[in-house]
Amino acid sequence: MGDDDNIRTEIRSLISSLPSDADFQGAKIYNYQGCWYRNFALQAVIDFQRNFKPTDTDIILASYPKSGTTWAKALTVALLERSVGGSCNNHPLASGSPHMLVPFFELDLYRKSPEPDLTKFPSSPRVFSTHMPLHTLRQPLMNAPCKIVYMCRNVKDVLVSRWHFYAKMAKKEVERSDLESMVESFCRGVHYFGPFWDSVLSYWRGSLEDPEHVLFMKYEDLKAEPCAQVMRLAEFLGCPFSQEEKRGGSVEKILELCSFGNLSSFDVNQTGTHNIFFRKGEVDDWKNHLTTEMQKKIDMVIQEKFQGSGLEF
Ligand code: PAP
């Protein structure tokens, strides 16, 4: 089925008025509110904006793709469900992948239906995810006091992760020419859910303006100081660890439950795609793949776009 087949006439005419370009694979992408989307995701974004009704306790996990979304989803589910007990085998994460437990607005819920039934949502509080930039969420959230967590990752690792992911999806070996095209489209700012810097900066500024409702996290920090970062996340979500839990090793248990090795070993293949979200899970793997020329190009763009923001990679 082609990208256009499920797009309603009304949305088609709206989309046709938007700036368009092609991503690194040559697929058509459209710029809506400063962000690039394929048309099926854009239809879902518009339906989400029109129809989503927030509740005060909603949690939204946001990220640019390949920044640690799966990990953030698992950690959030594990933090909220920690009364379920210590055994890994009877935990919701053992029978449902993080992506099934925490659906994306634009890639799952509103992609399937313009008005999905959210009354039977599996978790309470409801936990959603998105790759949309913060300004696109503002209008539908209507100042509801939702908690928004943004996971950010070094863009060079993001690019390498995406390159491998793309090859896995296309069921082929990684090809250098694809990586070159990705770096090119990244530096132009013309890529799915990009520009990267607009995604990151929207949430970075949001977190500075409203730290009670927007938490900015880094994949690298989670790797370097996992306990401190998980406690920070729990605090932000309003479910801090008690002293007794800390003494009992609850933080470490959650980290173990959500570790790369553990999550990737769960047999949760209902969607058949669980394993494509796990590759290496390391920091600085880009050093094994990017040429010096690619690195320099990316560094120049990053320096220019993040200058003065206070954010460092
Ligand atoms: P998504 O945006 O498509 O949902 P996302 O989960 O953000 O994907 O990114 C996948 C990356 O997170 C992979 O990185 P890599 O290609 O560099 O290896 C994946 O390995 C990594 N990842 C997934 N789960 C974990 C985890 N529990 N701990 C650390 N890294 C993880």
Side-chain angles (χ1 to χ4, degrees):
M1 195 186 294
D3 267 7
D4 274 332
D5 292 353
N6 285 322
I7 308 300
R8 303 193 301 277
T9 314
E10 166 229 355
I11 302 279
R12 245 179 243 220
S13 90
L14 191 158
I15 288 178
S16 67
S17 68
L18 297 173
S20 65
D21 209 312
D23 71 4
F24 81 95
Q25 304 168 62
K28 206 156 184 186
I29 50 177
Y30 301 87
N31 195 289
Y32 177 69
Q33 299 183 347
C35 182
W36 292 101
Y37 300 96
R38 295 272 284 272
N39 57 3
F40 60 85
L42 179 48
Q43 173 166 262
V45 167
I46 293 166
D47 286 333
F48 158 75
Q49 286 190 319
R50 287 177 182 171
N51 300 327
F52 180 65
K53 306 274 179 305
T55 68
D56 288 358
T57 55
D58 286 343
I59 294 171
I60 299 171
L61 305 180
S63 60
Y64 179 79
K66 304 296 149 214
S67 300
T69 324
T70 314
W71 200 9
K73 288 183 179 189
L75 286 169
T76 303
V77 169
L79 285 171
L80 297 172
E81 296 276 343
R82 62 187 194 263
S83 56
V84 168
S87 162
C88 285
N89 295 329
N90 64 6
H91 196 280
L93 285 167
S95 51
S97 95
H99 287 287
M100 288 170 60
L101 297 167
V102 182
F104 284 102
F105 285 129
E106 69 282 12
L107 300 176
D108 299 313
L109 298 168
Y110 289 86
R111 184 174 176 183
K112 288 184 190 140
S113 160
E115 285 191 74
D117 179 7
L118 303 181
T119 55
K120 300 180 193 81
F121 208 75
S123 62
S124 176
R126 305 187 303 181
V127 190
F128 302 101
S129 66
T130 187
H131 292 318
M132 292 177 253
L134 182 56
H135 49 263
T136 301
L137 302 181
R138 291 281 191 207
Q139 171 207 332
L141 292 189
M142 296 180 295
N143 296 323
C146 306
K147 298 272 186 182
I148 301 174
V149 178
Y150 187 73
M151 182 66 86
C152 174
R153 187 181 188 189
N154 179 332
V155 71
K156 291 180 201 145
D157 281 334
V158 166
L159 280 166
V160 166
S161 180
R162 177 109 211 268
W163 177 45
H164 282 94
F165 183 79
Y166 166 68
K168 267 195 214 167
M169 292 287 281
K171 297 192 169 46
K172 61 174 197 172
E173 292 297 310
V174 285
E175 285 171 20
R176 286 219 74 76
S177 58
D178 288 333
L179 184 58
E180 279 158 16
S181 308
M182 270 183 191
V183 171
E184 197 60 45
S185 62
F186 167 79
C187 291
R188 281 202 306 136
V190 180
H191 48 105
Y192 197 36
F193 291 112
F196 170 81
W197 46 88
D198 282 350
S199 169
V200 173
L201 286 172
S202 72
Y203 289 95
W204 171 247
R205 292 184 180 130
S207 72
L208 297 178
E209 283 159 18
D210 186 6
E212 201 188 320
H213 297 107
V214 185
L215 179 73
F216 192 92
M217 299 192 74
K218 287 186 181 169
Y219 183 95
E220 293 75 19
D221 292 347
L222 249 176
K223 284 292 230 184
E225 39 166 30
C227 286
Q229 291 298 321
V230 164
M231 286 195 280
R232 183 172 166 245
L233 177 60
E235 190 89 33
F236 174 78
L237 294 176
C239 54
F241 289 91
S242 64
Q243 288 307 326
E244 194 186 336
E245 280 182 301
K246 284 183 198 166
R247 273 196 302 274
S250 180
V251 183
E252 290 79 4
K253 271 187 210 154
I254 281 179
L255 283 166
E256 173 51 29
L257 175 66
C258 301
S259 67
F260 180 94
N262 197 45
L263 282 183
S264 58
S265 74
F266 284 143
D267 183 22
V268 286
N269 264 337
Q270 294 96 325
T271 61
T273 55
H274 180 64
N275 286 330
I276 60 171
F277 294 99
F278 303 94
R279 188 182 62 93
K280 271 191 171 177
E282 286 172 8
V283 172
D284 284 348
D285 184 42
W286 63 267
K287 291 180 179 166
N288 300 316
H289 301 285
L290 296 183
T291 62
T292 314
E293 196 192 334
M294 286 171 176
Q295 290 169 38
K296 280 191 186 151
K297 232 172 161 174
I298 297 167
D299 285 344
M300 261 173 60
V301 174
I302 291 295
Q303 206 196 339
E304 181 201 323
K305 301 294 179 187
F306 288 89
Q307 205 170 26
S309 68
L311 187 59
E312 291 193 359
F313 285 96

